[in-house]
């Protein structure tokens, strides 16, 4: 759906640009508004290069953000599965509660956070429930003590992975960068209109 919307936006922008160019062309003098086409093309090249560099930087930031979210999501999912295995080595009265809590945690991520535009605004309630269950742990054997230490390590790593997933989903492109991109886009577009030449064909 996002690809379709993007294609529509690009198509509409291209159509509006063509209409604007043809409209200006009707009143443009022969040869365009510039007396020296080479000099004008040089200035346009500088503007276009600046726009390209800025756009490339934005694409790089978007890719980095996407990759961080993807890695965070994969790590978080793997740790949930590993913690279910670790829970089977803890005290008997908590095994089922921990395993079911992790399943509910995963379902909440899928159903409650995956399509949420602001997932960082609230916490996962099942993460809180798992923390409460962790407080009731009282390991008595060497196996339970090792599993308890492993559980704490996995919980910390899972929370870090969740943070990476949410941070990547929110995006890291600052607002001033978007403003600069739109401003230079408008300058390039307006400068392009001065190249309209009534002596050339419509096509």
């Amino acid at each position: 759906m996002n690809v379709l919307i993007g294609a529509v936006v690009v198509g509409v922008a291209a159509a509006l640009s063509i209409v604007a160019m043809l409209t200006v062309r009707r009143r443009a003098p022969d040869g365009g508004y510039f007396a020296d086409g080479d000099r004008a093309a040089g200035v346009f090249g500088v503007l276009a290069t600046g726009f390209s560099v800025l756009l490339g930087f934005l694409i790089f930031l978007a890719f980095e953000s996407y990759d961080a979210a993807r890695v965070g999501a994969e790590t978080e999912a793997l740790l949930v599965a590993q913690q279910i295995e670790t829970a089977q080595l803890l005290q008997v009265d908590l095994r089922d509660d921990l395993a079911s809590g992790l399943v509910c945690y995963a379902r909440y991520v899928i159903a409650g956070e995956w399509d949420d535009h602001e997932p960082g605004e609230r916490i996962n309630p099942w993460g809180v429930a798992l923390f409460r269950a962790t407080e009731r742990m009282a390991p008595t054997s060497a196996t339970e003590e090792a599993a308890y230490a492993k559980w704490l390590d996995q919980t910390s790593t899972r929370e870090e992975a969740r943070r990476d997933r949410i941070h990547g989903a929110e995006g890291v492109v600052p607002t001033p960068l978007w403003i600069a991109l739109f401003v230079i886009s408008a300058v390039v577009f307006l400068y392009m209109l001065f190249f309209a030449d009534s002596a050339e064909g419509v096509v």
Side-chain angles (χ1 to χ4, degrees), residues 18-197:
I18 293 172
V19 170
M21 193 71 169
L22 293 177
T23 301
V24 175
R25 172 186 169 278
R26 292 180 180 179
R27 298 183 179 180
D30 292 346
Y33 289 97
F34 297 108
D36 189 344
D38 292 337
R39 182 182 301 174
V43 175
F44 184 79
V46 172
L47 293 174
T49 301
F51 174 80
S52 300
V53 171
L54 188 58
L55 183 61
F57 186 59
L58 283 174
I59 293 174
F60 174 77
L61 286 178
F63 176 79
E64 288 291 317
S65 178
Y66 166 79
D67 190 60
R70 180 185 60 82
V71 173
E74 291 179 354
T75 304
E76 186 180 19
L78 177 62
L79 284 167
V80 168
Q82 291 177 345
Q83 281 195 286
I84 291 178
E85 297 174 354
T86 304
Q88 306 310 309
L89 303 176
L90 294 167
Q91 56 199 74
V92 178
D93 59 327
L94 288 178
R95 292 177 183 177
D96 292 340
D97 291 341
L98 293 174
S100 60
L102 287 166
V103 171
C104 292
Y105 175 93
R107 289 176 176 172
Y108 183 85
V109 170
I110 296 171
E113 293 183 350
W114 197 255
D115 294 328
D116 190 358
H117 296 291
E118 296 181 353
E121 295 297 325
R122 59 177 185 270
I123 62 175
N124 190 321
W126 293 102
V128 178
L130 290 170
F131 174 76
R132 304 265 184 217
T134 303
E135 290 182 322
R136 304 202 312 269
M137 292 182 183
T140 56
S141 64
T143 301
E144 290 181 356
E145 289 180 356
Y148 176 70
K150 186 65 175 178
W151 173 273
L152 294 179
D153 292 339
Q154 289 174 333
T155 298
S156 299
T157 307
R158 173 172 53 80
E159 291 173 351
E160 292 176 1
R162 179 178 185 273
R163 181 195 60 195
D164 292 339
R165 171 176 60 83
I166 292 175
H167 179 68
E170 291 177 348
V172 294
V173 180
T175 302
L177 201 56
W178 283 114
I179 296 175
L181 180 68
F182 283 113
V183 168
I184 194 171
S185 299
V187 172
V188 170
F189 176 72
L190 293 176
Y191 196 84
M192 177 195 70
L193 295 180
F194 286 99
F195 283 96
D197 186 359

Side-chain angles (χ1 to χ4, degrees), residues 3 9 16 27 37 129 198:
V3 176
V9 170
L16 293 176
R27 298 183 179 180
S198 59

